[in-house]
Amino acid sequence: MSMWWKRRQPAERSMNCVQVARVLQAYLDAETDEVTARRVAAHTEDCRRCGLEVETYRKIKKALTRGTEPDADAVERLRGFAEGLLGPGTDGEGTEQTPGA
């Protein structure tokens, strides 16, 4: 009897946009493990929105390493992306805010 399922590599779970956002900076700085890096890369190849954010981060990082000012539109787009992931009713740290508090 063959035990083919024991020889298969474990399936890597796909990531969603929020999960990618949480590890994106570490991924771009090559500080994630190999599995996470593959998962982030796969997601950003398939997700136009996250793929654009990776491109934006890389442009900003490149501008900073050159000592030039990053493109203001890219910074604003990145800020909007981060705020969109937090969702309405959060304080920028992911903590829910009570209206009128």
Side-chain angles (χ1 to χ4, degrees), residues 79-94:
R79 183 175 287 120
F81 173 73
E83 289 170 357
L85 291 174
L86 292 173
T90 59
D91 66 358
E93 295 292 325

Side-chain angles (χ1 to χ4, degrees), residues 1 3 7 14-15 20 45 51 65 75 80-81 90 95-96:
M1 175 186 252
M3 301 263 240
R7 289 189 298 256
S14 60
M15 296 180 89
V20 167
E45 287 174 13
T65 58
V75 172
F81 173 73
T90 59
T95 307
E96 289 192 35

Side-chain angles (χ1 to χ4, degrees), residues 7-34:
R7 289 189 298 256
R8 296 173 77 188
Q9 295 294 320
E12 291 179 13
R13 297 184 330 249
S14 60
M15 296 180 89
N16 63 38
C17 296
V18 173
Q19 292 168 321
V20 167
R22 288 182 183 144
V23 298
L24 189 56
Q25 194 60 56
Y27 166 75
L28 292 168
D29 293 338
E31 296 173 350
T32 58
D33 60 81
E34 187 178 325

